[in-house]
Amino acid sequence: MAISLSTVLLAVTVPALAYWLYWRWANRRMLRLAAVVPGPPALPVLGNALMFLTNTTEQLQKIAKLFDEYGDYVRFWLGPELAIAVKNPTDIRTLLSSNKLNQKGPLYNLMKPFIGPGILSGGPTWRLHRKIVTPSYNKKSVQQFSKVFNSEAEQLVRVLRNKRSDTYDIYYDVLTCTTQCVCQTLMGLSKEDSMQLPNLTEIVRKTQSMYNLIFKRMTLWWLQIPFIYWLTGHKKQQDHFFRLIDDFTSIILEKRRKALKTEVVDEELRSVVDRLIQSGELNDQEIKHEMFTLFTTSQEAAAKIAAGVMMILAHLPDWQEKVYEEIQEVVGSSPVTESHIKELHYLDMVYKETLRYFSIAAFIQRTVEEEITINDSKITLPVGTSLIIPIHVLHRDPKHWEEPLKAKPERFLPENVKNRDPNAFIPFSLGPMDCLGRVFATAMIKTIVVHVIRSVHLEADGVIDDIPLEVAISVRSANGYQVRSRVRKEQNGVKANGVVHN
């Protein structure tokens, strides 16, 4: 006997409706608290997910428009998942410093196939693992790494001095430099060993593709369905990355484990790999996951920031001149030291403006583990809420930044800083889960920039506020970091303020 279409629809609709009613009853407090927060109307089942089905540049613009329309607190639904985005600087500090939000948000779960649960992605072990490796990132250790930073920066300068006068993307040359710095410090390898790592070039070149893949799954909900992920070929791409990462980390782990049997390494020079091995707290797979986490977040992010600093200097010749003169006065032709870095105030302003303009992370996400109130107790975030801190939007909020789409290092002059809410600038996040490598990255990036700017003069076409951006975990220039470089003049062996054509 044939079953009628109406019978089939009834059989599907009734259970779906029953489940929907049950879900609303079970989450009645969440729904009541969420209703207090302004936000766009949501569709049944899908919520507001369709809003974000666009390219990454437009996603940044759409998120900014939500805040323009609804204010500093915006509620939206990604399917049944409640997300509340907060842009108020005072509440951001309160939230990120709270022990009620010491768990990463669900989007970080999509990173775990690549890097496992741990320091970056969260999970039960993040605090222990972070404690083990933290000494390699403190000031004493970073001072010991200075010799490597200077040596690799000198190698980068040799490459740039041989460039023709054509425009090129400086990012890839800088990336080679930061990769070698990280291999010879945090990974604990010698120069020779790091140069001989198999697949290193492929891993470095394809890291951005890996980030793009992860970000696609974060923003395109259907790619979180395993069959569709496989059908579209993304699973095959992911498996290729897995093999590269496993081979790469296995070789480093083997080298360091073998070396530790005979080497005695000073405490300040111990690599994160050595610390993870000698702690006895992690198995090999956990070590490899954390190793790759710390490798890629150090060399790739630092290269973007350093390339961003150089591109901004190329677009702002007056600021490049200030930085150059300051370098000549403070550092001269000597290797860069920690004391030099502290005195390079103009460079620091350009560095901070780069961190504002190209946010290391477009946003961060936390899961609310206990209810917490914000906005002078007007809003309560319910348990299970995905808290979004939109760093990129915060760093371009006209309430805190005049002409936010322009690159203006003078924003960080002392007289301008004191008139701005300090929590409106959080490039390295805040609280117990903040960026582990801020001291390491700052020293490495500034050392590289000093060597480059005192040796070559940078130029660029167009204006900095016309540069399109894209986001794939971090924010980057969509068209790369395009500059031209010319070798600076030398007079009697002393670099002078001028350039000569190659």
Side-chain angles (χ1 to χ4, degrees):
M1 182 177 177
I3 300 176
S4 67
L5 179 60
S6 60
T7 302
V8 173
L9 289 175
L10 187 65
V12 172
T13 303
V14 170
L17 179 61
Y19 176 77
W20 181 74
L21 291 172
Y22 169 77
W23 183 88
R24 290 188 65 83
W25 176 83
N27 294 279
R28 58 194 181 278
R29 179 166 177 79
M30 174 188 284
L31 292 168
R32 187 172 73 253
L33 295 175
V36 176
V37 186
L43 295 172
V45 182
L46 292 177
N48 305 107
L50 296 179
M51 181 185 303
F52 301 102
L53 299 185
T54 183
N55 64 58
T56 57
T57 299
E58 291 181 358
Q59 284 174 0
L60 292 175
Q61 296 168 351
K62 285 190 174 185
I63 293 171
K65 286 180 180 179
L66 284 176
F67 284 104
D68 289 341
E69 184 173 354
Y70 296 103
D72 285 350
Y73 310 89
V74 181
R75 174 258 309 142
F76 52 91
W77 294 87
L78 300 176
E81 179 185 299
L82 171 63
I84 295 178
V86 177
K87 195 182 63 167
N88 178 276
T90 301
D91 282 329
I92 286 174
R93 171 163 287 279
T94 298
L95 291 165
L96 293 182
S97 302
S98 171
N99 59 12
K100 298 179 180 180
L101 291 102
N102 280 339
Q103 184 58 258
K104 296 290 182 79
L107 290 179
Y108 288 86
N109 290 332
L110 300 175
M111 296 182 180
K112 289 180 180 177
F114 298 87
I115 60 175
I119 294 170
L120 177 61
S121 56
T125 61
W126 75 266
R127 197 183 298 272
L128 170 63
H129 292 186
R130 179 176 172 126
K131 182 179 179 181
I132 291 169
V133 302
T134 292
S136 290
Y137 290 92
N138 65 29
K139 290 184 179 181
K140 284 187 176 181
S141 291
V142 172
Q143 287 175 19
Q144 299 301 314
F145 297 153
S146 176
K147 183 177 179 180
V148 172
F149 296 163
N150 279 279
S151 175
E152 291 305 321
E154 288 173 0
Q155 175 59 35
L156 172 63
V157 166
R158 286 192 283 271
V159 172
L160 299 185
R161 288 173 69 90
N162 287 323
K163 293 282 187 182
R164 298 176 62 85
S165 59
D166 302 329
T167 297
Y168 62 96
D169 187 349
I170 200 170
Y171 170 74
Y172 295 102
D173 293 313
V174 176
L175 182 61
T176 299
C177 177
T178 58
T179 298
Q180 283 300 318
C181 286
V182 171
C183 283
Q184 295 173 53
T185 56
L186 300 180
M187 297 296 104
L189 300 175
S190 66
K191 173 76 171 183
E192 182 181 3
D193 283 343
S194 64
M195 293 293 291
Q196 294 177 356
L197 284 174
N199 301 328
L200 177 61
T201 300
E202 186 176 6
I203 285 177
V204 168
R205 290 284 175 161
K206 289 188 174 180
T207 295
Q208 189 61 44
S209 298
M210 183 183 74
Y211 287 173
N212 290 339
L213 178 63
I214 295 171
F215 196 74
K216 274 186 179 181
R217 292 199 82 188
M218 287 181 173
T219 53
L220 303 179
W221 61 268
W222 59 83
L223 290 181
Q224 297 181 33
I225 301 173
F227 176 71
I228 295 179
Y229 192 60
W230 171 82
L231 189 64
T232 54
H234 291 93
K235 179 64 166 60
K236 182 178 180 181
Q237 186 181 10
Q238 175 179 291
D239 290 343
H240 176 64
F241 288 137
F242 285 175
R243 288 191 293 272
L244 283 177
I245 293 168
D246 188 67
D247 289 346
F248 174 72
T249 53
S250 294
I251 290 172
I252 296 177
L253 179 57
E254 182 182 356
K255 283 182 177 293
R256 291 314 305 157
R257 183 165 277 148
K258 182 178 180 180
L260 287 172
K261 293 179 179 178
T262 56
E263 289 182 4
V264 177
V265 182
D266 291 343
E267 171 61 23
E268 287 80 12
L269 288 173
R270 288 175 66 199
S271 70
V272 295
V273 182
D274 294 356
R275 294 182 191 279
L276 291 168
I277 292 171
Q278 294 178 326
S279 72
E281 298 284 353
L282 295 81
N283 60 40
D284 281 7
Q285 187 58 61
E286 289 174 318
I287 293 174
K288 289 192 289 185
H289 276 149
E290 296 294 21
M291 186 192 310
F292 187 72
T293 296
L294 300 173
F295 170 79
T296 189
T297 55
S298 298
Q299 49 85 233
E300 193 268 349
K304 285 180 180 175
I305 299 167
V309 171
M310 294 178 204
M311 186 168 71
I312 286 178
L313 288 172
H315 278 279
L316 303 178
D318 290 347
W319 274 92
Q320 184 174 177
E321 182 68 14
K322 290 177 182 178
V323 170
Y324 173 77
E325 293 293 343
E326 183 180 60
I327 290 170
Q328 292 295 89
E329 180 180 347
V330 173
V331 186
S333 59
S334 67
V336 184
T337 66
E338 181 195 21
S339 61
H340 290 147
I341 289 173
K342 289 179 180 178
E343 295 182 51
L344 296 173
H345 304 299
Y346 285 128
L347 175 57
D348 186 61
M349 285 185 268
V350 179
Y351 175 66
K352 288 176 178 175
E353 178 65 351
T354 304
L355 292 173
R356 184 198 70 85
Y357 198 88
F358 301 109
S359 300
I360 299 172
F363 61 87
I364 54 179
Q365 186 188 48
R366 300 286 186 268
T367 296
V368 178
E369 298 176 286
E370 297 180 43
E371 286 188 1
I372 185 170
T373 59
I374 55 174
N375 192 21
D376 296 325
S377 299
K378 297 184 185 75
I379 294 174
T380 298
L381 303 184
V383 174
T385 301
S386 290
L387 170 69
I388 307 291
I389 305 297
I391 296 177
H392 173 75
V393 177
L394 175 67
H395 285 177
R396 292 178 173 229
D397 188 342
K399 289 189 293 187
H400 308 292
W401 311 94
E402 183 182 353
E403 296 185 298
L405 302 184
K406 295 181 180 293
K408 300 172 66 174
E410 60 267 27
R411 302 180 198 279
F412 292 95
L413 285 166
E415 59 268 29
N416 294 330
V417 170
K418 71 179 182 181
N419 294 323
R420 184 171 55 243
D421 189 324
N423 300 312
F425 182 60
I426 52 168
F428 297 105
S429 186
L430 295 168
M433 302 183 89
D434 67 351
C435 178
L436 178 63
R438 67 173 70 195
V439 174
F440 177 91
T442 299
M444 176 169 61
I445 291 164
K446 289 184 177 181
T447 299
I448 291 169
V449 173
V450 167
H451 279 271
V452 170
I453 294 303
R454 73 182 177 187
S455 298
V456 300
H457 183 273
L458 300 174
E459 299 172 349
D461 295 322
V463 292
I464 194 73
D465 47 302
D466 283 343
I467 294 175
L469 304 177
E470 66 179 16
V471 56
I473 310 300
S474 58
V475 177
R476 68 189 303 271
S477 170
N479 298 322
Y481 301 83
Q482 304 293 329
V483 301
R484 292 185 302 278
S485 57
R486 292 184 287 161
V487 179
R488 292 188 182 273
K489 292 178 182 177
E490 294 187 3
Q491 295 177 351
N492 298 323
V494 180
K495 292 179 176 62
N497 186 6
V499 294
V500 294
H501 288 283
N502 284 335

